[in-house]
């Protein structure tokens, strides 16, 4: 598929007066678009990997940042039409927070990790097991209770992963 360059995407945002918000991945586009339906501000959420020469994820956003900054320095009228969203990750604990004015750093890691809903559970069960997703309420409640009962274990694993990410030469437990 033909991909736009970063400059083309930003110029299009300016010309259409529809701000572009670069996000880390295609899944993020849908999540943010759905959240954005709750307000009247019209935004175009675009996954960074859909832009020519950029990969998905925070690395894609951070790789694009200097080019975005150069475009804004050339023409500051573009500034209101560009935003990039980064999930919060270990970089904040390593003092590696990007200082670009157009980057919004979330307070949490990966927005989609914060939704434990019936629909998400049904989707995951269908995806992992090939069951059609028609779970009865009792089974759904049991799955949710099981997940919630193990959150403390997941939390401790997350802490271990964070320590590994920020402590040089840490070998883990």
């Amino acid at each position: 598929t033909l991909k736009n360059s970063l400059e083309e995407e930003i110029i299009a945002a300016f010309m259409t007066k529809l701000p572009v918000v670069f996000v880390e991945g295609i899944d993020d586009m849908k999540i943010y678009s759905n959240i954005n339906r709750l307000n009247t501000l019209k935004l175009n959420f675009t996954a960074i990997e859909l832009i020519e020469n950029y990969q998905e994820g925070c690395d894609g956003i951070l790789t694009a940042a200097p080019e975005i900054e150069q475009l804004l320095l050339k023409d500051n009228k573009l500034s209101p039409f560009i935003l990039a969203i980064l999930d919060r990750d270990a970089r904040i604990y390593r003092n590696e927070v990007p200082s670009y004015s157009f980057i919004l750093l979330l307070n949490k890691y990966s927005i989609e990790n914060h939704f434990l809903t019936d629909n998400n559970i049904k989707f995951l069960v269908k995806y992992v097991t090939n069951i059609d997703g028609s779970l009865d309420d009792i089974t759904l409640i049991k799955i949710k209770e099981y997940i919630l009962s193990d959150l403390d274990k997941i939390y401790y694993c997350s802490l271990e992963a964070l320590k590994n990410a920020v402590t040089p030469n840490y070998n883990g437990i």
Side-chain angles (χ1 to χ4, degrees), residues 91-111:
R91 76 175 42 86
I92 196 161
Y93 301 105
R94 293 189 302 246
N95 295 319
E96 298 173 357
V97 177
S99 60
Y100 297 101
S101 63
F102 53 85
I103 290 182
L104 171 65
L105 184 64
L106 295 181
N107 290 332
K108 304 280 189 242
Y109 174 78
S110 195
I111 192 166

